[in-house]
Amino acid sequence: MNLHRILILSLLLSVTAAMAGDPPPEAWRTVDPDNLVLIDTKYGQVAVEIAPEFAPNHAARLKALIRAHFYDGLSFYRVIDGFVAQGGIGEGTASTKDHPEEAKTLDQWPPLKAEFDRAFAPQPKFTPLGNADPMAAQVGFEDGFPVARDPKAKREWLIHCPGTFAFARDNGPDTASTEFYIVIGQSPRRLDRDLTAFGRVLSGMQYLQKLERGDPDIDSGVIADIARRDPIVRMQLASDLPPDQRPEFQALRTDSKSFADAVASRRHPTSPFYFRKPRPVLDICGVPVAVKRVSGP
Amino acid sequence: MNLHRILILSLLLSVTAAMAGDPPPEAWRTVDPDNLVLIDTKYGQVAVEIAPEFAPNHAARLKALIRAHFYDGLSFYRVIDGFVAQGGIGEGTASTKDHPEEAKTLDQWPPLKAEFDRAFAPQPKFTPLGNADPMAAQVGFEDGFPVARDPKAKREWLIHCPGTFAFARDNGPDTASTEFYIVIGQSPRRLDRDLTAFGRVLSGMQYLQKLERGDPDIDSGVIADIARRDPIVRMQLASDLPPDQRPEFQALRTDSKSFADAVASRRHPTSPFYFRKPRPVLDICGVPVAVKRVSGP
């Protein structure tokens, strides 16, 4: 008996194998090392691709912070299971006092104007998912990122899925400055277009899932005991590393036939495992975009 | 600046505090210790409430397996980040040979008839979510469990959300026997009504998230190196423990006014943090049912 076929099967439909054969070389896009952020945790390295075209000022700020080594040695000080891992200095929390030196530098990083959404790209690469979405008029993919759109206003924004990278903020829209969060649970779509999301995890989600959690009922999940917080060991931009020391990632082009085939076979599974065929409706956050690491240390 | 308010706020809306004040004592339901499964991992204890009324034969089998100490010392041998943690003997995989003694006992546990769904309960406690769902005609809660319904057929079933507990099976519908899985990622709704789901994690998801992962591209996520697999240290039924050694959990009644209030404030957040109000549409798997541990070791 192959009881494990539930997983073989689901895998076929959830990772890369749903495509008829391996995608050809031209179906893959090499991730720009200037948009590849490497976050070293004590459990392993997390690779995040950022999308500067969705939030140019936030992306520039993130790169500047990384190059100033701002994050190195700070921590994931508020980690809520099923929701987000938040990293940085803990502005506005007792956590700030734990980092007096870094806190002194905060006035170098003034609040940013919100970049919650953007005008439709002039040459849209938008690939529609192909079914309705509960939270937006249109959803689909651009360069691998899950995107929602308002066709009337001609605005688009990144969707909060597991692995989405965004900047935290205060109540005011234009208040993000240094802190980031990464979604580690069921897609919190309510945050869409209300925070500046501009990246997605390409690999290493399992390391974020190992991060020490806070108690959401105590100080909204801030881990009071500094010794219990897991550090941000280091954050680097791949393009700042010597070429032979950079990891290189490729992501399946979401405007490729290979991706369309993968979506189609996910929508209409043909395996006999599906005793009852599921509704042919896909969750934008449940459609993986295949990623492979092709080189690097 | 309170950049962390994103979390304070989201917490208000995601955990328990969305209710106006603490729910009164009558809004809480004590979890029956005979339906409370305790899974000891090396990272901590996971508490699962099972729903025998949805799958009486699977629930009885699970209890019998637990009482036979079948699982103790086996492992989470296939763990796929963002999808499921699967535990047991690895029937049909190379993993079986790692447990020759337990494998000999497998003929004691013949395949079960599928219990993918059930007739509507005679006195339904079903509380509708209050908005459409992409995958089912109706969704809502019964005794804290997320449930989908087919009103024409008058059938209902548990939904695959993060934390859902179910039995794995082979391609045939009536082939589940001993292996279980727990969802640890974005809701795999395509599995709804196609596998026998009959429980949900009440606490300890963060320990499941720490489990060592397999590589989904290699042997569908089976961790080949036994030394790398995280063990199922022990599984117990709370009712088999002396009363003073049992943890006791209470779950918010999903047919209570307190729960309705929590859902309403999640649907229509009033905090100024929501610069742009989200669509008043909730994801059944994104609506938490508050749980508290009221006593126990």
Side-chain angles (χ1 to χ4, degrees):
Chain A
M1 275 197 301
N2 273 325
L3 294 200
H4 69 294
R5 281 189 198 161
I6 172 186
L7 290 185
I8 290 182
L9 190 278
S10 301
L11 265 175
L12 281 171
L13 297 153
S14 71
V15 189
T16 59
M19 295 157 281
D22 283 335
E26 63 271 20
W28 297 93
R29 173 181 61 85
T30 297
V31 174
D32 183 345
D34 206 37
N35 292 332
L36 183 58
V37 172
L38 307 171
I39 307 174
D40 289 348
T41 75
K42 64 191 261 197
Y43 307 106
Q45 188 176 76
V46 180
V48 176
E49 181 179 12
I50 59 170
E53 63 278 18
F54 277 86
N57 296 326
H58 283 71
R61 169 66 59 89
L62 176 67
K63 291 178 186 180
L65 286 161
I66 290 171
R67 287 173 169 147
H69 303 284
F70 177 84
Y71 296 111
D72 301 356
L74 295 179
S75 66
F76 294 96
Y77 73 97
R78 176 182 288 118
V79 183
I80 298 177
D81 189 74
F83 185 39
V84 299
Q86 185 162 347
I89 202 168
E91 292 180 58
T93 76
S95 176
T96 314
K97 72 168 169 24
D98 307 329
H99 303 287
E101 289 309 310
E102 292 87 349
K104 279 183 210 157
T105 72
L106 281 178
D107 56 5
Q108 295 173 31
W109 313 105
L112 294 163
K113 286 272 184 195
E115 294 175 303
F116 295 157
D117 58 14
R118 69 162 181 172
F120 277 11
Q123 290 186 311
K125 293 173 256 187
F126 184 79
T127 301
L129 173 62
N131 56 247
D133 177 81
M135 297 300 280
Q138 288 183 353
V139 297
F141 293 91
E142 288 185 29
D143 286 335
F145 292 93
V147 170
R149 302 180 123 198
D150 176 346
K152 287 183 194 157
K154 297 199 186 307
R155 305 291 293 178
E156 60 184 13
W157 56 93
L158 291 200
I159 292 172
H160 279 80
C161 292
T164 293
F165 180 99
F167 258 30
R169 63 164 171 85
D170 194 355
N171 273 354
D174 304 325
T175 54
S177 95
T178 65
E179 294 197 43
F180 69 87
Y181 63 93
I182 300 175
V183 176
I184 58 169
Q186 182 79 3
S187 50
R189 298 286 305 276
R190 63 193 304 105
L191 304 182
D192 287 0
R193 210 183 182 185
D194 206 34
L195 286 124
T196 299
F198 62 108
R200 74 172 182 116
V201 173
L202 299 180
S203 76
M205 278 302 290
Q206 71 273 35
Y207 306 129
L208 295 174
Q209 293 293 7
K210 287 180 191 278
L211 293 175
E212 185 69 19
R213 304 300 202 256
D215 179 342
D217 290 332
I218 297 175
D219 195 15
S220 73
V222 170
I223 302 167
D225 179 357
I226 302 172
R228 276 189 56 235
R229 294 180 195 159
D230 278 327
I232 301 169
V233 175
R234 186 172 57 173
M235 277 175 70
Q236 296 171 289
L237 203 60
S239 56
D240 288 341
L241 298 175
D244 63 340
Q245 291 173 34
R246 297 174 191 168
E248 183 181 317
F249 288 90
Q250 292 190 337
L252 190 63
R253 289 185 188 277
T254 43
D255 55 358
S256 68
K257 178 173 184 306
S258 296
F259 183 72
D261 290 348
V263 171
S265 67
R266 193 174 180 82
R267 189 184 300 283
H268 298 289
T270 54
S271 162
F273 180 84
Y274 286 92
F275 174 73
R276 185 179 275 109
K277 298 300 173 202
R279 278 194 186 185
V281 178
L282 300 179
D283 169 5
I284 184 79
C285 289
V287 176
V289 177
V291 171
K292 57 182 181 181
R293 184 183 176 121
V294 290
S295 70
Chain B
M1 274 199 301
N2 273 325
L3 293 200
H4 69 294
R5 281 189 197 160
I6 172 185
L7 290 185
I8 291 182
L9 192 276
S10 300
L11 265 175
L12 281 170
L13 297 154
S14 71
V15 189
T16 58
M19 295 157 282
D22 283 336
E26 64 271 21
W28 297 93
R29 173 180 62 85
T30 297
V31 173
D32 184 345
D34 206 38
N35 292 332
L36 183 59
V37 171
L38 306 171
I39 306 174
D40 289 347
T41 75
K42 64 191 259 198
Y43 307 106
Q45 188 176 75
V46 181
V48 176
E49 181 179 11
I50 59 170
E53 63 277 18
F54 278 85
N57 296 325
H58 282 71
R61 169 66 58 88
L62 176 66
K63 291 178 187 180
L65 286 160
I66 290 171
R67 286 174 168 148
H69 303 282
F70 177 84
Y71 296 110
D72 301 356
L74 294 178
S75 67
F76 294 96
Y77 72 96
R78 177 181 287 118
V79 183
I80 298 178
D81 190 73
F83 185 38
V84 299
Q86 184 161 347
I89 202 169
E91 292 181 59
T93 77
S95 176
T96 314
K97 72 168 169 24
D98 307 327
H99 302 287
E101 290 307 312
E102 291 86 348
K104 279 183 209 157
T105 72
L106 281 177
D107 56 4
Q108 295 173 30
W109 312 105
L112 294 164
K113 286 272 185 196
E115 295 175 301
F116 296 157
D117 58 14
R118 69 162 182 173
F120 277 9
Q123 291 185 311
K125 294 173 255 186
F126 183 79
T127 300
L129 173 63
N131 56 248
D133 177 81
M135 296 299 281
Q138 287 183 353
V139 296
F141 293 90
E142 288 184 31
D143 287 335
F145 292 93
V147 170
R149 303 180 122 198
D150 176 346
K152 286 182 194 156
K154 295 200 187 308
R155 305 290 294 177
E156 60 184 13
W157 56 93
L158 291 201
I159 293 172
H160 280 79
C161 291
T164 293
F165 179 100
F167 258 29
R169 64 166 169 84
D170 195 355
N171 274 354
D174 303 325
T175 54
S177 95
T178 64
E179 294 197 44
F180 69 87
Y181 64 93
I182 300 174
V183 176
I184 59 169
Q186 182 79 4
S187 50
R189 298 287 305 276
R190 61 194 304 107
L191 303 181
D192 287 0
R193 209 183 182 185
D194 206 33
L195 286 123
T196 299
F198 61 109
R200 73 171 182 117
V201 172
L202 299 180
S203 76
M205 279 300 291
Q206 71 272 34
Y207 306 129
L208 295 173
Q209 294 292 9
K210 286 179 191 280
L211 293 174
E212 186 69 19
R213 305 299 202 256
D215 179 341
D217 291 332
I218 298 175
D219 196 14
S220 73
V222 169
I223 302 167
D225 179 357
I226 302 172
R228 276 188 57 234
R229 294 180 196 159
D230 278 326
I232 301 169
V233 176
R234 187 172 59 174
M235 279 175 69
Q236 297 171 289
L237 202 60
S239 56
D240 288 342
L241 299 175
D244 63 339
Q245 290 172 35
R246 296 175 191 166
E248 184 182 319
F249 287 91
Q250 293 189 336
L252 190 64
R253 290 184 187 277
T254 42
D255 55 359
S256 68
K257 179 174 184 305
S258 295
F259 184 71
D261 290 347
V263 171
S265 65
R266 194 173 180 82
R267 188 183 302 281
H268 297 288
T270 54
S271 162
F273 181 84
Y274 285 92
F275 173 73
R276 186 180 274 108
K277 298 300 172 201
R279 277 196 188 184
V281 178
L282 301 178
D283 169 5
I284 185 80
C285 289
V287 176
V289 176
V291 171
K292 57 183 181 180
R293 184 182 177 120
V294 290
S295 70

